[in-house]
Amino acid sequence: MSFTQLTKKIALVDCNSFYVSCERLFNPKLRNKPVVVLSNNDGCIISRSVEAKALGIKMGEPYFKAKNIIMKNNVQVFSSNYSLYGDLSRRVMRTLKRFNSEIEIYSIDEAFLDLTNFPDNEIEDVGKEIRNVVLQWTGIPTSIGIAKTKTLSKVANHIAKKKQSGVVSLIGLENIDPILEKVEINDVWGVGRQLTKFYHKNGIYNAKQLKNKSNTWIKKSSNVLSSRTAMELRGISCINLETKSSKRKSCVVSRSFGKRVENFQELKEAVASYSLNASEKIRSESLITKSITVFVRTSPFQSRYGFYSNSKTIDFPIATNNSIEIVKAAISGLESIFKNGYRYQKAGVILSHLCDSNNKENLFSSIRDEKINSLMRSIDNTNYRYGRSTLSLASAGVHKKWNMKRQHSSKIDTADFYSLPTIKVN
């Protein structure tokens, strides 16, 4: 009995200029126009359209530095809207699972997909179908690179971004050296700044040179990760798909304020709001926390006001995901570290020692606990249906003057009925 072993085929699906694409989805007038999206507090540029890149606007560049180019060329600017981006990301990932449930969600806009079961001669057409379906179902354009290994699929994806078809397959290609020669070593997946310096020092400037370097030299001069990367560039799969995500061990919610906060009441509102957010996150993953850490800090760049940073950790008698208990503990911790006379730049909470809420039963459980759990579910369902903070605690405040600076917000919220686009028909 004989059988043909299938060639391993890994696709990397990457959403093109994802944050920009999300904004364009709800505003078609932005298509083919230069667009950028800013980071928290409108600080740096974190997403650029192709047209914005062509103007010379750099990734990660502070907004104020690029303002002249932006104004001169009428570049459309948007503040980050992570609730929108997260929702659209989930839609894209659900669509990809239609082709294979064996998927590794690598980031908010990237996923590795196992396409091994598809025939070699059809694989590029499969990639095009995936791209078309994602665009049709979600409105998000993608680039897809397909190869025998995850590292090579990254290379293929890098090429696909510059192709009109948006899909590149390296499957069945006998000699990929001419392609790898054009890939600079710092663009190879897993090669960071320090490793790039090391490779340059040893005469390795592109992916082809690393691929053809002897294993003996790599193992002797570098580490096992470098060896894996070289093997992957040779088409030998060493990095498996991580299709099962492990549950988080901690949950951090922190923000830099839109303006400096000086009084306790505003700081208290911020910490309460972050605690509610963190509580909602761990409940969505069926987790409970055993402790909470509250931290505050001032800006290290405003020395005339003095620098101050502190934190306080509080353990819960019984692990919980009850928002009311978590907020109460957070405010108690804040009271012990707050000092008058400082202009606070940032605050946050960390929920630690997370564990599965299914194992919550203990000697002290009561009927009251079940009522509280029912209340938390009702709050989560209401906020999911009508938008975050529809139901909240009074301690989280209403006006929230400390909120992040978002002067260019598109105000699109897929969980808010009133934010849906309207169509006028004559």
Side-chain angles (χ1 to χ4, degrees):
M1 184 177 178
S2 62
F3 64 92
T4 303
Q5 187 175 7
L6 294 173
T7 303
K8 194 173 183 72
K9 293 177 275 290
I10 304 295
L12 174 63
V13 183
D14 186 6
C15 301
N16 297 340
S17 304
F18 182 54
Y19 296 168
V20 167
S21 296
C22 292
E23 298 291 348
R24 280 177 166 172
L25 180 60
F26 290 89
N27 189 354
K29 291 180 182 178
L30 297 173
R31 289 174 187 168
N32 302 318
K33 292 183 178 179
V35 182
V36 297
V37 175
L38 306 177
S39 63
N40 290 345
N41 286 310
D42 295 344
C44 299
I45 295 163
I46 55 173
S47 185
R48 307 161 295 162
S49 66
V50 173
E51 296 80 7
K53 293 176 186 177
L55 294 173
I57 298 174
K58 298 176 183 177
M59 185 68 165
E61 186 175 16
Y63 174 49
F64 74 89
K65 284 190 176 181
K67 211 163 185 177
N68 287 338
I69 298 177
I70 288 170
M71 294 181 70
K72 184 179 178 181
N73 296 278
N74 195 27
V75 178
Q76 302 299 303
V77 180
F78 292 93
S79 301
S80 53
N81 185 348
Y82 294 116
S83 59
L84 170 66
Y85 309 151
D87 182 31
L88 290 174
S89 173
R90 287 186 288 273
R91 296 184 193 186
V92 170
M93 301 310 168
R94 282 198 298 269
T95 304
L96 292 178
K97 287 180 180 179
R98 173 183 181 271
F99 296 91
N100 192 341
S101 59
E102 293 295 299
I103 177 176
E104 177 187 336
I105 300 174
Y106 184 64
S107 67
I108 192 171
D109 61 346
E110 289 179 282
F112 289 102
L113 193 62
D114 191 344
L115 301 180
T116 303
N117 289 331
F118 292 96
D120 290 12
N121 60 343
E122 296 177 12
I123 198 65
E124 193 163 343
D125 290 333
V126 172
K128 290 176 181 177
E129 183 186 356
I130 293 172
R131 190 171 188 266
N132 291 335
V133 169
V134 171
L135 183 62
Q136 183 180 3
W137 288 16
T138 70
I140 302 297
T142 57
S143 297
I144 302 177
I146 308 168
K148 294 179 182 179
T149 69
K150 289 170 77 173
T151 303
L152 283 176
S153 69
K154 276 274 191 180
V155 171
N157 187 275
H158 187 70
I159 302 168
K161 285 184 179 297
K162 300 173 184 177
K163 296 277 187 179
Q164 189 173 359
S165 66
V167 179
V168 166
S169 172
L170 301 182
I171 301 296
L173 200 62
E174 293 294 330
N175 182 20
I176 63 169
D177 278 5
I179 292 173
L180 296 182
E181 192 171 19
K182 297 176 183 177
V183 179
E184 294 183 13
I185 195 65
N186 59 296
D187 288 331
V188 175
W189 187 45
V191 178
R193 188 177 299 175
Q194 294 302 318
L195 203 50
T196 297
K197 290 180 182 177
F198 169 76
Y199 285 144
H200 284 176
K201 188 178 178 181
N202 288 276
I204 301 173
Y205 298 96
N206 58 54
K208 173 192 169 184
Q209 291 172 323
L210 179 60
K211 167 185 173 286
N212 295 327
K213 203 73 175 177
S214 72
N215 279 335
T216 305
W217 182 88
I218 294 173
K219 288 179 180 178
K220 183 179 178 181
S221 306
S222 190
N223 53 39
V224 67
L225 295 177
S226 296
S227 181
R228 284 182 189 174
T229 300
M231 295 287 280
E232 289 246 324
L233 290 173
R234 295 172 194 141
I236 303 168
S237 181
C238 300
I239 308 173
N240 296 325
L241 285 181
E242 297 178 10
T243 55
K244 293 181 180 178
S245 56
S246 56
K247 290 200 172 184
R248 65 169 88 200
K249 300 298 181 184
S250 64
C251 177
V252 182
V253 177
S254 66
R255 299 283 187 276
S256 293
F257 302 130
K259 68 179 186 69
R260 299 293 184 263
V261 173
E262 297 183 53
N263 67 72
F264 178 78
Q265 182 58 35
E266 288 189 3
L267 206 57
K268 173 185 169 183
E269 289 179 5
V271 167
S273 182
Y274 300 158
S275 299
L276 287 172
N277 192 347
S279 305
E280 185 180 317
K281 283 185 177 182
I282 66 171
R283 283 198 299 273
S284 70
E285 299 178 28
S286 301
L287 297 170
I288 51 179
T289 180
K290 295 180 180 178
S291 66
I292 182 171
T293 300
V294 184
F295 64 88
V296 294
R297 80 172 194 200
T298 62
S299 172
F301 305 109
Q302 293 187 334
S303 55
R304 60 176 174 161
Y305 297 104
F307 177 72
Y308 175 68
S309 176
N310 206 346
S311 65
K312 174 72 174 178
T313 299
I314 296 175
D315 294 326
F316 295 104
I318 301 172
T320 183
N321 56 22
N322 180 350
S323 292
I324 299 171
E325 288 183 26
I326 291 172
V327 169
K328 186 177 178 181
I331 293 173
S332 174
L334 178 64
E335 288 172 344
S336 67
I337 61 175
F338 175 79
K339 283 187 178 183
N340 276 311
Y342 288 100
R343 302 177 80 240
Y344 292 93
Q345 178 204 31
K346 187 174 185 178
V349 296
I350 306 171
L351 301 182
S352 307
H353 306 104
L354 300 182
C355 55
D356 200 323
S357 62
N358 296 326
N359 303 325
K360 190 181 177 182
E361 289 297 322
N362 57 71
L363 291 172
F364 304 100
S365 294
S366 64
I367 297 174
R368 179 176 173 274
D369 291 336
E370 184 51 43
K371 289 183 177 178
I372 289 173
N373 290 338
S374 178
L375 173 62
M376 293 300 115
R377 283 194 294 270
S378 298
I379 291 173
D380 291 343
N381 290 336
T382 302
N383 289 339
Y384 178 78
R385 184 172 183 180
Y386 297 104
R388 178 170 286 174
S389 300
T390 300
L391 287 179
S392 186
L393 298 183
S395 55
V398 178
H399 301 295
K400 300 183 179 180
K401 297 177 182 178
W402 43 267
N403 245 339
M404 281 193 307
K405 188 192 296 180
R406 301 181 70 223
Q407 295 179 342
H408 307 279
S409 174
S410 56
K411 295 183 174 64
I412 299 170
D413 186 351
T414 48
D416 183 359
F417 181 83
Y418 297 101
S419 293
L420 292 175
T422 56
I423 301 174
K424 292 182 180 180
V425 180
N426 294 325

